[in-house]
Every structure is written in structure tokens, then in C-alpha cells.
Amino acid sequence: MSDHRDVVIVGGGHNGLAGAAYLALAGKKVTLLERLPHIGGAAVSATAFEGVDARLSRYSYLVSLLPERIIRDLGLSITLARRRYSSYTPTPGGTDGLLIDTVDAAATAAALGADSAAWNSFYSGTSAFARALFPTVIQPLLTRTEARAAVGDAALWSSLVDAPIGSTIADTFSDDVVRGVVLTDALIGTFAPNVDESMAANRCFAYHVIGGGTGDWDVPVGGMGAVTGELARAALNAGAEIITDATVTSITPGGEVTYLHDDTEATLDATWVLANVAPFELQKLLGETQDARPEGAQVKVNLLVSRLPRLRDSRVDPAAAFGGTFHINESWSQLDSAFDAASAGSVPNPLPSEIYCHSLTDPSILSPELQASGAQTLTIFGLHTPDRLLTESTNDAMRQSLQRAAINSLNSVLAEPIEDLLLQDVAGNPTIETKTTLDLQHALNLPGGNIFHGPLAWPFAEDDAELRTPAQRWGVATAHPRILLCGAGAQRGGGVSAIGGHNAAMAVLEAS
């Protein structure tokens, strides 16, 4: 006979931990099963280089979508550090660049030139959009009509929701670099053309500008592992059971979850099953015909360098340039060419990329010795590298090709090769690691390396959507009433937010 639980959660990423904490606090008997030997999923810190005391946020880097309400509800001790500089973008092939300084409005206006007024107007609009919609992501879903009314600006709604975001950007800005900087928020992990009639880019853009009601992306102090560590603490303190090295092998619509642990098969019977796995993987566990596999579109490269590199743009302090998001070869025209190249089966050259330097804002992830030496972490996120470019047999070779493309792209805007600044691990290897979409699938069970678990949905329901059940109203329903999505694949999922876990928990409590 199987053991009974009120709730079994499949997957120990941050959303699963949040759901476990909420439900255990409500008095539910909760067991969370995680196939890896540690919790956290993609939101972890790791010592990526052997013998080097630097704990990198290996897969997820920044936090924007985690509501303050969840932090308060669960009593999380989390510090999110705001970055002064929003972004820096070198002019491709030139020796100057665009620095967006949130403190010095005059300098930013001068850098934007003719697009300054349009920039202020556009981001005033996204801020209004964010203030209207972000509070609703931890409430039952609004309908499209209700969301439009909440925004209260028909022209703004049309420009961000009804028209392709690329068309809006092209109509709003004149400069090739400025257009590209704005467009990148629509392309993170999303393989889409500049003007995307499918609106996938719009949905991606929406989640990148609504976080916290401001659109700011903050650095988690202590690394991303500090976030999941706090969520795990909250879940355990509330009475949830967490079992690692537990590989779930099947789920039934009736709530039976079978898993392997210590080479022993066990089954739990649950009133509710919360799936913190991609919907594609859930279908597999249910023994159902799977939909088309999702596709990721990024390459991630982590580096540890002895110091920040010198820039071709000698006017800008590297600490300012790397203090925000450092855009490389992401002008509008370069993004357009990169999409065409990848669509034709080639690695884009140059590779559009952006860099985050966690250690500038939060040096605590480095040992005191590394801090004193001036060492810094750099993480490159390369765009337009869709999973279709790789196979199991070509993954190793493509990893090297993609790493080379990322390094070449970075070097194109530096005054010195970044390779000369790499440190070495204890074996004498350079401190650089690269993760392809297939690597993410292998390590994290992300189908196709899709960092959102699948296509993003709007943070509201369509007017004709069925919203009869708690699961439907909270955007976590599956075809089976007792099985709910609680991860990035839930509606309003994606990013380090805990929204999926919160909303699944609310659906359970509403239905109980």
C-alpha cells in the first residue's frame, strides 16, 4: 500500500520549494521529490571551477519577478541589490558606446541623443504597464479585457500587446543600437525575428519589463543559491519533507507518484500533485503523447577573470560598463542578421550576447583572497543559438564553437583579449565553462534547453478561457483535476519568481 500525502511536489526548483512552504504552513502534509542530490534546480550557486573559491549563479543570474509579498509571507531573508547602471552597449565596430545611467539623467540623455525623449516616453509607458499588471501575477487571472482596463491606456496596450513589439520599437526609435537594446528584452531565451507576428517576443518582453512593478533586474546577494536556500529553509521549518536523489518515474491522474530512491522504488498517494517540471516532461511521466518539444535559444558562458578588461571605448570606466547589463553586438540590424543566420543553420557571427558581472554588485560570492586580488565573475548569455543547431553527437563540438563565438563577440569590443585575463583552476585549466541548450536539458531536465519550460503565456487569460475551477483561475491547471503545474510552465511562470509555486498552492487551498 502506498503512503498518503496531502500534496506531493515533483521537482525541487525554487517554485516547488515555494509551493511546499505555503502548503506546509497551511497544515498540509507535503513531500517534495527532487531527482538531483541538491535542491534549487536552475536557481543554484556552484563552485564551477575546481579549487577556486567562487560560487557562481550558474544558470539563473538576476531577480526581477519575485514579489515582495512572497518574501514577506514566507519570512525569507533575501537581499536583492539594485544596480546603478542599467546597461552599456558598445557601438559595433566603433570606439564609443551607449551607457544608461539611472542616477545621471543628463549623461544618459546625452548618450541617447535624438532618441532621448522617445526613450523616456517608452519606458514611462512600460512602467505604467508594470504597475498595473505586476500586482496581479499572484492573484487569480484577469481576463484580457480586465487587464486592458487595469492598464487604462488603450494606446499603450496596443503598442505592447496588440502590435508586434518589434514594430513598436522600430516606430519609436531611430538609432540602430538603441532599437537593439530595447529589443533584447523580447529575445531572452526566445528565438524570434525582430518583428514577430506570433507575438512570442511580446510575451517575453512583457515579463522582462513588469518585474516588481518597475522592470528592474536585481542581483541576489550571496548568489542565486541564497534565494533557494531560504525557500528550502522556509519549507522545512513549516514541516515539509524534502527527499533528494528521488527520480520520479511515473504519475497517474489519480495522484499516485512512483519514484526511485537509493535503488528502491516507492509510491506515494497524493490528494494533489504539483508538477514543478516542464509540461513536456509531465506528459512523459503521465504516459501521454507528448506535444512538440520546446526549444531553447541561448548559450551560457561563465568566466572568472583576474580583473575587468579594458574597453575599446576608453571614455567609459569598465566598472560602469560591466555594472549593469553589457550588450555586445545587439544592434537591431545585428539581431536581425543573427536570426537569419541561425534560421539557416549557422552560429551567428558576430554572436549577439549580453554579460552580467555579479561580483561587482555582490563581491560576497568570491573568497576574501579573490576579492582582494580584483577578480571578477562574468557571465555571457548568447542569443539566437536555437537548440536545433545541436544534436547529441555534435554537442561537444558545438559547445566549443559556441564558446569561441561568444569569446570572439566579447573581444570585438575590448582593448585586450579576455583569454589573457582568465584565471586557472587547480589543474591549470582556464576558468571558463559553457552550457548549451542540450547541456541544460541533461543537467536540469529542461526540454530543448528552454529556460521557461515552454512557450510563455500572457500574464492574463483570454476572454473565452475557462476559469471555472481554482486551478484554472490561478493559471495552473492541467487536463487532470488533481495534477497542477507549479513551475515555469504554469501561466505567469518563467524567471526566478516563485509565482508558479505560490499560485499552485493558492489553487490547492482554495479547492480544499
Side-chain angles (χ1 to χ4, degrees):
M1 179 179 292
S2 59
D3 292 333
H4 181 76
R5 301 290 189 276
D6 295 321
V7 183
V8 170
I9 299 176
V10 179
H14 80 281
N15 272 304
L17 294 167
Y22 270 105
L23 291 166
L25 281 169
K28 300 295 184 183
K29 187 176 183 181
V30 180
T31 293
L32 181 149
L33 303 172
E34 168 55 49
R35 71 180 181 89
L36 295 175
H38 56 81
I39 51 87
V44 293
S45 299
T47 303
F49 309 115
E50 185 179 0
V52 180
D53 192 1
R55 292 187 58 77
L56 281 65
S57 295
R58 193 172 217 163
Y59 303 111
S60 301
Y61 320 128
L62 303 172
V63 177
S64 176
L65 293 162
L66 176 60
E68 180 64 31
R69 166 76 178 275
I70 293 177
I71 295 175
R72 291 198 310 270
D73 284 352
L74 299 182
L76 306 178
S77 180
I78 293 174
T79 301
L80 302 176
R82 185 63 42 88
R83 301 177 297 171
R84 167 179 172 173
Y85 298 97
S86 176
S87 67
Y88 171 70
T89 310
T91 302
T95 56
D96 60 355
L98 172 63
L99 181 66
I100 305 299
D101 184 345
T102 63
V103 172
D104 193 337
T108 297
L112 287 164
D115 276 321
S116 177
W119 180 278
N120 291 335
S121 176
F122 182 82
Y123 282 106
S124 175
T126 63
S127 294
F129 188 76
R131 289 193 299 272
L133 291 187
F134 188 67
T136 74
V137 298
I138 49 173
Q139 300 170 5
L141 283 161
L142 299 180
T143 64
R144 178 180 282 261
T145 296
E146 290 168 341
R148 186 189 299 115
V151 171
D153 184 328
L156 175 62
W157 180 272
S158 178
S159 68
L160 298 181
V161 178
D162 294 334
I165 189 64
S167 295
T168 296
I169 292 168
D171 291 343
T172 302
F173 303 101
S174 60
D175 184 79
D176 189 49
V177 170
V178 174
R179 285 175 169 176
V181 169
V182 180
L183 183 64
T184 54
D185 276 335
L187 300 176
I188 299 297
T190 301
F191 189 56
N194 287 15
V195 178
D196 176 29
E197 299 292 344
S198 79
M199 312 303 279
N202 288 63
R203 295 188 288 274
C204 182
F205 186 84
Y207 286 101
H208 280 90
V209 299
I210 66 171
T214 64
D216 289 309
W217 286 82
D218 297 332
V219 174
V221 174
M224 200 60 77
V227 177
T228 44
E230 275 296 290
L231 286 164
R233 181 191 61 79
L236 290 168
N237 286 351
E241 177 185 32
I242 297 176
I243 304 175
T244 55
D245 286 310
T247 300
V248 173
T249 55
S250 69
I251 301 172
T252 70
E256 287 196 341
V257 180
T258 301
Y259 66 100
L260 291 173
H261 180 62
D262 291 337
D263 296 323
T264 301
E265 183 176 272
T267 299
L268 296 175
D269 174 66
T271 304
W272 300 96
V273 177
L274 270 56
N276 188 27
V277 297
F280 181 84
E281 293 299 319
L282 176 60
Q283 290 174 326
K284 179 180 178 181
L285 292 173
L286 285 162
E288 299 176 344
T289 301
Q290 292 171 286
D291 294 333
R293 191 181 74 159
E295 181 177 43
Q298 71 290 315
V299 61
K300 301 189 176 193
V301 184
N302 293 316
L303 309 93
L304 183 65
V305 293
S306 59
R307 59 171 171 79
L308 293 177
R310 291 180 289 109
L311 307 175
R312 291 184 65 186
D313 183 353
S314 59
R315 304 166 308 131
V316 175
D317 182 351
F322 287 97
T325 299
F326 191 122
H327 296 274
I328 308 166
N329 294 312
E330 289 188 326
S331 70
W332 175 275
S333 57
Q334 287 174 312
L335 289 167
D336 188 50
S337 296
F339 177 80
D340 288 344
S343 297
S346 300
V347 175
N349 182 25
L351 181 69
S353 305
E354 38 204 66
I355 291 183
Y356 317 101
C357 180
H358 187 124
S359 53
L360 268 178
T361 303
D362 170 31
S364 73
I365 64 170
L366 302 176
S367 69
E369 292 76 17
L370 285 173
Q371 291 180 43
S373 73
Q376 302 286 354
T377 63
L378 298 179
T379 297
I380 304 175
F381 186 103
L383 277 64
H384 287 339
T385 56
D387 186 64
R388 69 192 70 174
L389 297 180
L390 304 98
T391 65
E392 290 286 354
S393 62
T394 64
N395 189 40
D396 289 343
M398 281 299 296
R399 186 185 306 109
Q400 293 304 310
S401 295
L402 290 168
Q403 179 174 296
R404 185 71 260 164
I407 294 302
N408 287 345
S409 188
L410 174 56
N411 282 341
S412 72
V413 299
L414 301 182
E416 56 186 332
I418 195 67
E419 296 96 321
D420 292 351
L421 303 180
L422 292 173
L423 297 176
Q424 292 185 341
D425 66 14
V426 293
N429 299 311
T431 48
I432 179 171
E433 71 163 11
T434 298
K435 301 293 185 182
T436 68
T437 50
L438 200 50
D439 292 335
L440 295 186
Q441 179 172 305
H442 293 160
L444 302 173
N445 228 17
L446 298 179
N450 188 291
I451 59 176
F452 307 128
H453 284 195
L456 288 167
W458 288 113
F460 51 80
E462 296 302 332
D463 288 332
D464 60 354
E466 287 192 8
L467 300 176
R468 295 177 292 104
T469 68
Q472 290 169 339
R473 287 193 293 274
W474 285 96
V476 296
T478 71
H480 309 290
R482 294 172 63 175
I483 301 174
L484 309 181
L485 296 172
C486 80
Q491 194 160 355
R492 301 178 288 190
V496 177
S497 69
I499 292 169
H502 169 277
N503 290 350
M506 295 305 107
V508 167
L509 296 177
E510 186 179 321
S512 298

